Amino acid sequence: MKLWSIDGNSQKLDGGAMFGNAPRAMWAKWLAPDEHNRIPLACRALLASPLAGKTVLFETGIGAFFEPKLRERYGVQEDRHVLLDSLRAAGFGHEDIDVVVLSHLHFDHAGGLLAPWAEGRAPELLFPNATFLVGAEQWQRARRPHPRDRASYIPELPQLLEDSGRLEIVEGDRSRTLGDAVRFEYSDGHTPGLMLAEIVGPERVDGQAHGGVVFCADLVPGKPWVHVPITMGYDRNAELLIDEKRAFLEDKLARNVHLFFTHDPEVALVQLVRDERGRFGTTHETAGLQARVLG
């Protein structure tokens, strides 16, 4: 199996919103803001092939489905569907993807499922041969959003996924489609039922899998958020997220599971470390993956 980091459309969002209650004097050292107080963010996907005999894409980024006014509002930097270009550069088309794993259905993680915006055209689902994996609790949230995060969902997307006939609602730590190759765990601090997918590593120690890669989604959006107290203003429950993140990082450190970041503009993959004060950090930082062999 080989891994690719697949760049999608990039964003610029308000730094204060992305770093919650952390002061600007702190977060500006991590990601420099522009004149509008916005920081650069990636929307990066992870491609694995063959994984359980399939070509699997973890998330699709924000894509290019927004009409121009909304694209500007949400800081999307490109008007083309960058993810499709990046897939082609890696030697794949969206038609080649067998499985798309979605941590949740916020538009910056699932918008890339849709064809680029065009005047007068209804939203259209791409990836015609893929099975779409969504966690059960997040599926219910997307169908009936809370007023706090309703704007984060694409209203038409749940019906498009359902009508495809290729939707698998995942419950528990395994899916029918990927079996034992991918292990799922869940977090509720950012959004109900955020599904974190771990590509199971090749080593076994005391019966546990070691050496895999986990797609961190919005539990740990990038390197600065590895620091446990740092959360986003977009998180529904910051205190819960901190507790979930601490347990998540403890587990990944113990099992040498590498972290894959979707929103970090500079770093795609890291290995966890811990200093003498017990604070988590990163090492072996990798900007991108090009047909990298797991292990």
Side-chain angles (χ1 to χ4, degrees):
M1 183 183 64
K2 296 179 181 178
L3 304 174
W4 290 259
S5 56
I6 304 294
D7 291 333
N9 292 66
S10 60
Q11 283 186 278
K12 288 188 176 182
L13 288 179
D14 183 83
M18 287 301 297
F19 286 108
N21 65 349
R24 188 181 191 277
M26 178 184 290
W27 60 254
K29 297 176 183 178
W30 301 330
L31 290 174
D34 65 13
E35 67 275 15
H36 302 296
N37 208 49
R38 302 179 307 174
I39 59 171
L41 295 168
C43 289
R44 182 184 296 111
L46 174 64
L47 180 70
S49 184
L51 175 58
K54 300 173 175 65
T55 297
V56 182
L57 185 66
F58 294 85
E59 297 202 345
T60 61
I62 195 168
F65 77 96
F66 276 135
E67 54 94 1
K69 183 178 179 180
L70 289 177
R71 187 173 70 233
E72 182 178 359
R73 176 185 300 175
Y74 290 110
V76 182
Q77 298 300 291
E78 308 90 358
D79 59 3
R80 71 189 192 282
H81 201 323
V82 175
L83 182 88
L84 301 184
D85 296 341
S86 299
L87 281 172
R88 281 192 289 269
F92 299 86
H94 71 99
E95 304 91 346
D96 300 321
I97 305 302
D98 299 310
V99 184
V100 177
V101 178
L102 298 155
S103 70
H104 61 307
L105 293 175
H106 287 175
F107 61 68
D108 57 327
H109 296 258
L113 291 172
L114 299 176
W117 176 84
E119 184 73 50
R121 185 171 70 187
E124 176 186 338
L125 197 62
L126 299 174
F127 302 95
N129 301 308
T131 297
F132 304 103
L133 270 54
V134 182
E137 191 174 2
Q138 177 58 198
W139 177 249
Q140 294 304 320
R141 179 73 164 206
R143 294 179 68 192
R144 290 183 290 275
H146 189 275
R148 187 179 186 276
D149 65 353
R150 183 175 290 120
S152 296
Y153 291 99
I154 305 168
E156 302 88 351
L157 184 57
Q159 193 63 54
L160 287 171
L161 291 172
E162 205 161 29
D163 290 347
S164 75
R166 292 176 277 114
L167 174 66
E168 180 183 347
I169 304 300
V170 180
E171 298 186 73
D173 63 357
R174 299 291 191 276
S175 68
R176 296 189 306 273
T177 301
L178 295 175
D180 293 332
V182 177
R183 172 183 174 268
F184 298 106
E185 58 187 300
Y186 300 89
S187 163
D188 295 319
H190 177 67
T191 185
L194 179 76
M195 189 167 72
L196 302 152
E198 178 185 330
I199 299 175
V200 175
E203 306 167 33
R204 289 292 183 278
V205 179
D206 296 327
Q208 288 193 313
H210 282 237
V213 175
V214 63
F215 194 98
C216 295
D218 279 343
L219 179 63
V220 191
K223 179 181 171 182
W225 294 268
V226 168
H227 185 38
V228 170
I230 302 301
T231 62
M232 296 187 290
Y234 300 112
D235 297 328
R236 67 189 290 257
N237 186 330
E239 291 185 5
L240 174 61
L241 186 136
I242 287 170
D243 293 341
E244 292 173 334
K245 179 164 59 169
R246 181 183 291 112
F248 177 84
L249 295 176
E250 292 271 9
D251 174 64
K252 303 307 172 283
L253 178 65
R255 296 189 296 110
N256 191 32
V257 176
H258 287 59
L259 309 185
F260 187 90
F261 297 139
T262 184
H263 286 315
D264 196 297
E266 298 176 350
V267 181
L269 189 76
V270 301
Q271 188 174 9
L272 274 172
V273 294
R274 204 171 199 179
D275 65 20
E276 64 280 357
R277 296 178 296 167
R279 179 170 167 165
F280 292 104
T282 60
T283 188
H284 297 141
E285 298 167 1
T286 304
L289 308 176
Q290 297 294 328
R292 173 168 168 165
V293 177
L294 179 64

